[in-house]
PDB file of all heavy atoms in Angstrom:
ATOM      1  N   LEU I  12     133.180  56.101  85.001  1.00  0.00           N
ATOM      2  CA  LEU I  12     133.492  56.614  86.257  1.00  0.00           C
ATOM      3  C   LEU I  12     134.937  56.183  86.648  1.00  0.00           C
ATOM      4  O   LEU I  12     135.351  55.106  86.287  1.00  0.00           O
ATOM      5  CB  LEU I  12     132.555  56.077  87.338  1.00  0.00           C
ATOM      6  CG  LEU I  12     131.170  56.790  87.305  1.00  0.00           C
ATOM      7  CD1 LEU I  12     130.149  55.986  87.982  1.00  0.00           C
ATOM      8  CD2 LEU I  12     131.304  58.178  87.939  1.00  0.00           C
ATOM      9  N   GLN I  13     135.563  57.132  87.308  1.00  0.00           N
ATOM     10  CA  GLN I  13     137.024  56.837  87.873  1.00  0.00           C
ATOM     11  C   GLN I  13     136.990  57.100  89.318  1.00  0.00           C
ATOM     12  O   GLN I  13     136.090  57.741  89.967  1.00  0.00           O
ATOM     13  CB  GLN I  13     137.864  57.816  87.186  1.00  0.00           C
ATOM     14  CG  GLN I  13     137.974  57.665  85.712  1.00  0.00           C
ATOM     15  CD  GLN I  13     138.327  56.280  85.294  1.00  0.00           C
ATOM     16  OE1 GLN I  13     139.410  55.711  85.767  1.00  0.00           O
ATOM     17  NE2 GLN I  13     137.760  55.563  84.186  1.00  0.00           N
ATOM     18  N   PRO I  14     137.981  56.530  90.060  1.00  0.00           N
ATOM     19  CA  PRO I  14     138.069  56.635  91.434  1.00  0.00           C
ATOM     20  C   PRO I  14     138.059  58.174  91.969  1.00  0.00           C
ATOM     21  O   PRO I  14     137.447  58.398  92.944  1.00  0.00           O
ATOM     22  CB  PRO I  14     139.407  56.037  91.826  1.00  0.00           C
ATOM     23  CG  PRO I  14     139.539  54.972  90.884  1.00  0.00           C
ATOM     24  CD  PRO I  14     138.965  55.607  89.515  1.00  0.00           C
ATOM     25  N   ASP I  15     138.531  59.081  91.129  1.00  0.00           N
ATOM     26  CA  ASP I  15     138.535  60.423  91.499  1.00  0.00           C
ATOM     27  C   ASP I  15     137.090  61.103  91.510  1.00  0.00           C
ATOM     28  O   ASP I  15     136.915  62.135  92.072  1.00  0.00           O
ATOM     29  CB  ASP I  15     139.349  61.316  90.631  1.00  0.00           C
ATOM     30  CG  ASP I  15     140.904  61.170  90.821  1.00  0.00           C
ATOM     31  OD1 ASP I  15     141.212  60.589  91.938  1.00  0.00           O
ATOM     32  OD2 ASP I  15     141.714  61.611  90.016  1.00  0.00           O
ATOM     33  N   ASP I  16     136.186  60.302  90.882  1.00  0.00           N
ATOM     34  CA  ASP I  16     134.772  60.748  91.046  1.00  0.00           C
ATOM     35  C   ASP I  16     134.085  60.316  92.364  1.00  0.00           C
ATOM     36  O   ASP I  16     132.953  60.768  92.598  1.00  0.00           O
ATOM     37  CB  ASP I  16     133.919  60.051  89.973  1.00  0.00           C
ATOM     38  CG  ASP I  16     134.332  60.494  88.508  1.00  0.00           C
ATOM     39  OD1 ASP I  16     134.703  61.666  88.282  1.00  0.00           O
ATOM     40  OD2 ASP I  16     134.504  59.706  87.551  1.00  0.00           O
ATOM     41  N   THR I  17     134.801  59.663  93.126  1.00  0.00           N
ATOM     42  CA  THR I  17     134.283  59.296  94.509  1.00  0.00           C
ATOM     43  C   THR I  17     133.926  60.575  95.239  1.00  0.00           C
ATOM     44  O   THR I  17     134.695  61.434  95.274  1.00  0.00           O
ATOM     45  CB  THR I  17     135.176  58.382  95.245  1.00  0.00           C
ATOM     46  OG1 THR I  17     135.332  57.109  94.512  1.00  0.00           O
ATOM     47  CG2 THR I  17     134.709  58.118  96.622  1.00  0.00           C
ATOM     48  N   GLY I  18     132.781  60.428  95.902  1.00  0.00           N
ATOM     49  CA  GLY I  18     132.344  61.538  96.769  1.00  0.00           C
ATOM     50  C   GLY I  18     130.832  61.574  97.069  1.00  0.00           C
ATOM     51  O   GLY I  18     130.184  60.685  96.556  1.00  0.00           O
ATOM     52  N   VAL I  19     130.330  62.491  97.811  1.00  0.00           N
ATOM     53  CA  VAL I  19     128.962  62.647  98.111  1.00  0.00           C
ATOM     54  C   VAL I  19     128.393  63.642  97.054  1.00  0.00           C
ATOM     55  O   VAL I  19     128.899  64.662  96.907  1.00  0.00           O
ATOM     56  CB  VAL I  19     128.572  63.126  99.479  1.00  0.00           C
ATOM     57  CG1 VAL I  19     127.179  63.235  99.652  1.00  0.00           C
ATOM     58  CG2 VAL I  19     129.240  62.101 100.527  1.00  0.00           C
ATOM     59  N   TYR I  20     127.351  63.209  96.282  1.00  0.00           N
ATOM     60  CA  TYR I  20     126.773  64.095  95.290  1.00  0.00           C
ATOM     61  C   TYR I  20     125.551  64.635  95.795  1.00  0.00           C
ATOM     62  O   TYR I  20     124.570  63.989  96.347  1.00  0.00           O
ATOM     63  CB  TYR I  20     126.449  63.231  94.005  1.00  0.00           C
ATOM     64  CG  TYR I  20     127.763  63.057  93.301  1.00  0.00           C
ATOM     65  CD1 TYR I  20     128.838  62.175  93.649  1.00  0.00           C
ATOM     66  CD2 TYR I  20     128.061  63.447  92.006  1.00  0.00           C
ATOM     67  CE1 TYR I  20     129.927  61.896  92.958  1.00  0.00           C
ATOM     68  CE2 TYR I  20     129.147  63.304  91.331  1.00  0.00           C
ATOM     69  CZ  TYR I  20     130.119  62.440  91.870  1.00  0.00           C
ATOM     70  OH  TYR I  20     131.299  62.254  91.074  1.00  0.00           O
ATOM     71  N   TYR I  21     125.485  66.006  95.620  1.00  0.00           N
ATOM     72  CA  TYR I  21     124.293  66.828  96.244  1.00  0.00           C
ATOM     73  C   TYR I  21     123.546  67.410  95.153  1.00  0.00           C
ATOM     74  O   TYR I  21     124.094  67.939  94.162  1.00  0.00           O
ATOM     75  CB  TYR I  21     124.797  67.831  97.139  1.00  0.00           C
ATOM     76  CG  TYR I  21     125.553  67.355  98.440  1.00  0.00           C
ATOM     77  CD1 TYR I  21     126.925  67.291  98.384  1.00  0.00           C
ATOM     78  CD2 TYR I  21     124.849  67.020  99.647  1.00  0.00           C
ATOM     79  CE1 TYR I  21     127.674  66.770  99.527  1.00  0.00           C
ATOM     80  CE2 TYR I  21     125.528  66.649 100.732  1.00  0.00           C
ATOM     81  CZ  TYR I  21     126.951  66.484 100.737  1.00  0.00           C
ATOM     82  OH  TYR I  21     127.604  66.133 101.777  1.00  0.00           O
ATOM     83  N   CYS I  22     122.232  67.439  95.249  1.00  0.00           N
ATOM     84  CA  CYS I  22     121.369  68.204  94.447  1.00  0.00           C
ATOM     85  C   CYS I  22     121.071  69.484  94.976  1.00  0.00           C
ATOM     86  O   CYS I  22     120.808  69.720  96.186  1.00  0.00           O
ATOM     87  CB  CYS I  22     120.032  67.353  94.281  1.00  0.00           C
ATOM     88  SG  CYS I  22     118.840  68.067  93.176  1.00  0.00           S
ATOM     89  N   ASN I  23     121.007  70.554  94.061  1.00  0.00           N
ATOM     90  CA  ASN I  23     120.649  71.888  94.527  1.00  0.00           C
ATOM     91  C   ASN I  23     119.640  72.500  93.602  1.00  0.00           C
ATOM     92  O   ASN I  23     119.774  72.229  92.354  1.00  0.00           O
ATOM     93  CB  ASN I  23     121.829  72.809  94.528  1.00  0.00           C
ATOM     94  CG  ASN I  23     121.616  74.300  94.808  1.00  0.00           C
ATOM     95  OD1 ASN I  23     121.457  74.979  93.931  1.00  0.00           O
ATOM     96  ND2 ASN I  23     121.377  74.553  96.099  1.00  0.00           N
ATOM     97  N   GLY I  24     118.624  73.104  94.127  1.00  0.00           N
ATOM     98  CA  GLY I  24     117.751  73.792  93.376  1.00  0.00           C
ATOM     99  C   GLY I  24     117.536  75.311  93.820  1.00  0.00           C
ATOM    100  O   GLY I  24     117.570  75.600  94.998  1.00  0.00           O
ATOM    101  N   GLN I  25     117.277  76.203  92.820  1.00  0.00           N
ATOM    102  CA  GLN I  25     117.084  77.525  93.159  1.00  0.00           C
ATOM    103  C   GLN I  25     115.809  78.060  92.594  1.00  0.00           C
ATOM    104  O   GLN I  25     115.551  77.869  91.415  1.00  0.00           O
ATOM    105  CB  GLN I  25     118.225  78.495  92.649  1.00  0.00           C
ATOM    106  CG  GLN I  25     119.508  78.155  93.352  1.00  0.00           C
ATOM    107  CD  GLN I  25     120.707  79.020  92.798  1.00  0.00           C
ATOM    108  OE1 GLN I  25     120.552  80.263  92.819  1.00  0.00           O
ATOM    109  NE2 GLN I  25     121.766  78.426  92.368  1.00  0.00           N
ATOM    110  N   TRP I  26     114.947  78.687  93.306  1.00  0.00           N
ATOM    111  CA  TRP I  26     113.679  79.283  93.075  1.00  0.00           C
ATOM    112  C   TRP I  26     113.689  80.825  93.038  1.00  0.00           C
ATOM    113  O   TRP I  26     114.106  81.311  94.133  1.00  0.00           O
ATOM    114  CB  TRP I  26     112.477  78.617  93.754  1.00  0.00           C
ATOM    115  CG  TRP I  26     112.087  77.283  93.212  1.00  0.00           C
ATOM    116  CD1 TRP I  26     111.014  77.123  92.508  1.00  0.00           C
ATOM    117  CD2 TRP I  26     112.651  75.974  93.487  1.00  0.00           C
ATOM    118  NE1 TRP I  26     110.906  75.712  92.266  1.00  0.00           N
ATOM    119  CE2 TRP I  26     111.902  75.036  92.938  1.00  0.00           C
ATOM    120  CE3 TRP I  26     113.814  75.656  94.222  1.00  0.00           C
ATOM    121  CZ2 TRP I  26     112.269  73.700  92.908  1.00  0.00           C
ATOM    122  CZ3 TRP I  26     114.103  74.309  94.294  1.00  0.00           C
ATOM    123  CH2 TRP I  26     113.294  73.327  93.621  1.00  0.00           C
ATOM    124  N   ILE I  27     113.226  81.355  92.119  1.00  0.00           N
ATOM    125  CA  ILE I  27     112.971  82.931  92.107  1.00  0.00           C
ATOM    126  C   ILE I  27     111.579  83.335  92.353  1.00  0.00           C
ATOM    127  O   ILE I  27     111.258  84.475  92.544  1.00  0.00           O
ATOM    128  CB  ILE I  27     113.548  83.617  91.015  1.00  0.00           C
ATOM    129  CG1 ILE I  27     112.918  83.172  89.686  1.00  0.00           C
ATOM    130  CG2 ILE I  27     115.141  83.516  90.884  1.00  0.00           C
ATOM    131  CD1 ILE I  27     113.345  83.928  88.431  1.00  0.00           C
ATOM    132  N   VAL I  28     110.709  82.347  92.431  1.00  0.00           N
ATOM    133  CA  VAL I  28     109.369  82.542  92.850  1.00  0.00           C
ATOM    134  C   VAL I  28     109.096  81.614  93.910  1.00  0.00           C
ATOM    135  O   VAL I  28     109.882  80.678  94.132  1.00  0.00           O
ATOM    136  CB  VAL I  28     108.280  82.301  91.632  1.00  0.00           C
ATOM    137  CG1 VAL I  28     108.481  83.319  90.551  1.00  0.00           C
ATOM    138  CG2 VAL I  28     108.440  80.885  91.045  1.00  0.00           C
ATOM    139  N   GLU I  29     107.901  81.595  94.634  1.00  0.00           N
ATOM    140  CA  GLU I  29     107.718  80.793  95.827  1.00  0.00           C
ATOM    141  C   GLU I  29     107.785  79.213  95.336  1.00  0.00           C
ATOM    142  O   GLU I  29     107.116  78.835  94.422  1.00  0.00           O
ATOM    143  CB  GLU I  29     106.346  80.999  96.532  1.00  0.00           C
ATOM    144  CG  GLU I  29     106.357  82.359  97.034  1.00  0.00           C
ATOM    145  CD  GLU I  29     107.259  82.447  98.318  1.00  0.00           C
ATOM    146  OE1 GLU I  29     107.583  81.335  98.913  1.00  0.00           O
ATOM    147  OE2 GLU I  29     107.690  83.485  98.662  1.00  0.00           O
ATOM    148  N   PRO I  30     108.520  78.508  96.051  1.00  0.00           N
ATOM    149  CA  PRO I  30     109.311  78.837  97.254  1.00  0.00           C
ATOM    150  C   PRO I  30     110.675  79.426  96.999  1.00  0.00           C
ATOM    151  O   PRO I  30     111.570  78.731  96.586  1.00  0.00           O
ATOM    152  CB  PRO I  30     109.493  77.441  97.910  1.00  0.00           C
ATOM    153  CG  PRO I  30     109.587  76.585  96.818  1.00  0.00           C
ATOM    154  CD  PRO I  30     108.611  77.068  95.823  1.00  0.00           C
ATOM    155  N   ILE I  31     110.778  80.680  97.336  1.00  0.00           N
ATOM    156  CA  ILE I  31     111.968  81.484  96.935  1.00  0.00           C
ATOM    157  C   ILE I  31     113.136  80.879  97.761  1.00  0.00           C
ATOM    158  O   ILE I  31     113.053  80.708  98.969  1.00  0.00           O
ATOM    159  CB  ILE I  31     111.853  83.005  97.118  1.00  0.00           C
ATOM    160  CG1 ILE I  31     110.794  83.477  96.157  1.00  0.00           C
ATOM    161  CG2 ILE I  31     113.155  83.707  96.906  1.00  0.00           C
ATOM    162  CD1 ILE I  31     110.327  84.890  96.384  1.00  0.00           C
ATOM    163  N   GLY I  32     114.291  80.673  97.098  1.00  0.00           N
ATOM    164  CA  GLY I  32     115.417  80.278  97.979  1.00  0.00           C
ATOM    165  C   GLY I  32     116.302  79.252  97.256  1.00  0.00           C
ATOM    166  O   GLY I  32     116.050  78.908  96.094  1.00  0.00           O
ATOM    167  N   SER I  33     117.265  78.777  97.896  1.00  0.00           N
ATOM    168  CA  SER I  33     118.225  77.845  97.420  1.00  0.00           C
ATOM    169  C   SER I  33     118.112  76.588  98.427  1.00  0.00           C
ATOM    170  O   SER I  33     118.261  76.866  99.586  1.00  0.00           O
ATOM    171  CB  SER I  33     119.660  78.413  97.390  1.00  0.00           C
ATOM    172  OG  SER I  33     120.524  77.366  96.900  1.00  0.00           O
ATOM    173  N   TYR I  34     118.043  75.458  97.826  1.00  0.00           N
ATOM    174  CA  TYR I  34     117.711  74.270  98.636  1.00  0.00           C
ATOM    175  C   TYR I  34     118.547  73.102  98.255  1.00  0.00           C
ATOM    176  O   TYR I  34     118.956  72.944  97.055  1.00  0.00           O
ATOM    177  CB  TYR I  34     116.302  73.794  98.533  1.00  0.00           C
ATOM    178  CG  TYR I  34     115.292  74.924  98.923  1.00  0.00           C
ATOM    179  CD1 TYR I  34     114.903  75.834  97.889  1.00  0.00           C
ATOM    180  CD2 TYR I  34     114.844  74.929 100.107  1.00  0.00           C
ATOM    181  CE1 TYR I  34     114.045  76.806  98.295  1.00  0.00           C
ATOM    182  CE2 TYR I  34     113.908  75.953 100.566  1.00  0.00           C
ATOM    183  CZ  TYR I  34     113.474  76.960  99.551  1.00  0.00           C
ATOM    184  OH  TYR I  34     112.618  77.919  99.901  1.00  0.00           O
ATOM    185  N   TRP I  35     119.035  72.347  99.310  1.00  0.00           N
ATOM    186  CA  TRP I  35     119.982  71.291  99.036  1.00  0.00           C
ATOM    187  C   TRP I  35     119.446  69.910  99.493  1.00  0.00           C
ATOM    188  O   TRP I  35     118.577  69.953 100.519  1.00  0.00           O
ATOM    189  CB  TRP I  35     121.177  71.554  99.911  1.00  0.00           C
ATOM    190  CG  TRP I  35     121.959  72.633  99.407  1.00  0.00           C
ATOM    191  CD1 TRP I  35     121.956  73.981  99.805  1.00  0.00           C
ATOM    192  CD2 TRP I  35     123.091  72.550  98.311  1.00  0.00           C
ATOM    193  NE1 TRP I  35     122.937  74.733  99.264  1.00  0.00           N
ATOM    194  CE2 TRP I  35     123.613  73.899  98.370  1.00  0.00           C
ATOM    195  CE3 TRP I  35     123.736  71.546  97.730  1.00  0.00           C
ATOM    196  CZ2 TRP I  35     124.670  74.271  97.497  1.00  0.00           C
ATOM    197  CZ3 TRP I  35     124.717  71.889  96.893  1.00  0.00           C
ATOM    198  CH2 TRP I  35     125.252  73.239  96.750  1.00  0.00           C
ATOM    199  N   GLY I  36     119.737  68.873  98.802  1.00  0.00           N
ATOM    200  CA  GLY I  36     119.451  67.579  99.230  1.00  0.00           C
ATOM    201  C   GLY I  36     120.447  67.059 100.257  1.00  0.00           C
ATOM    202  O   GLY I  36     121.431  67.729 100.496  1.00  0.00           O
ATOM    203  N   GLN I  37     120.195  65.856 100.844  1.00  0.00           N
ATOM    204  CA  GLN I  37     120.997  65.220 101.778  1.00  0.00           C
ATOM    205  C   GLN I  37     122.196  64.610 101.253  1.00  0.00           C
ATOM    206  O   GLN I  37     123.336  64.332 101.813  1.00  0.00           O
ATOM    207  CB  GLN I  37     120.334  64.257 102.594  1.00  0.00           C
ATOM    208  CG  GLN I  37     119.270  64.918 103.590  1.00  0.00           C
ATOM    209  CD  GLN I  37     119.814  65.887 104.506  1.00  0.00           C
ATOM    210  OE1 GLN I  37     119.736  67.029 104.538  1.00  0.00           O
ATOM    211  NE2 GLN I  37     120.608  65.300 105.393  1.00  0.00           N
TER     212      GLN I  37
END
């Protein structure tokens, strides 16, 4: 890891069956 890697890392998931949609973590 380098200083430029600093940031908030978010998880995202996409479903095409229920639960349909795109979802984000905090």
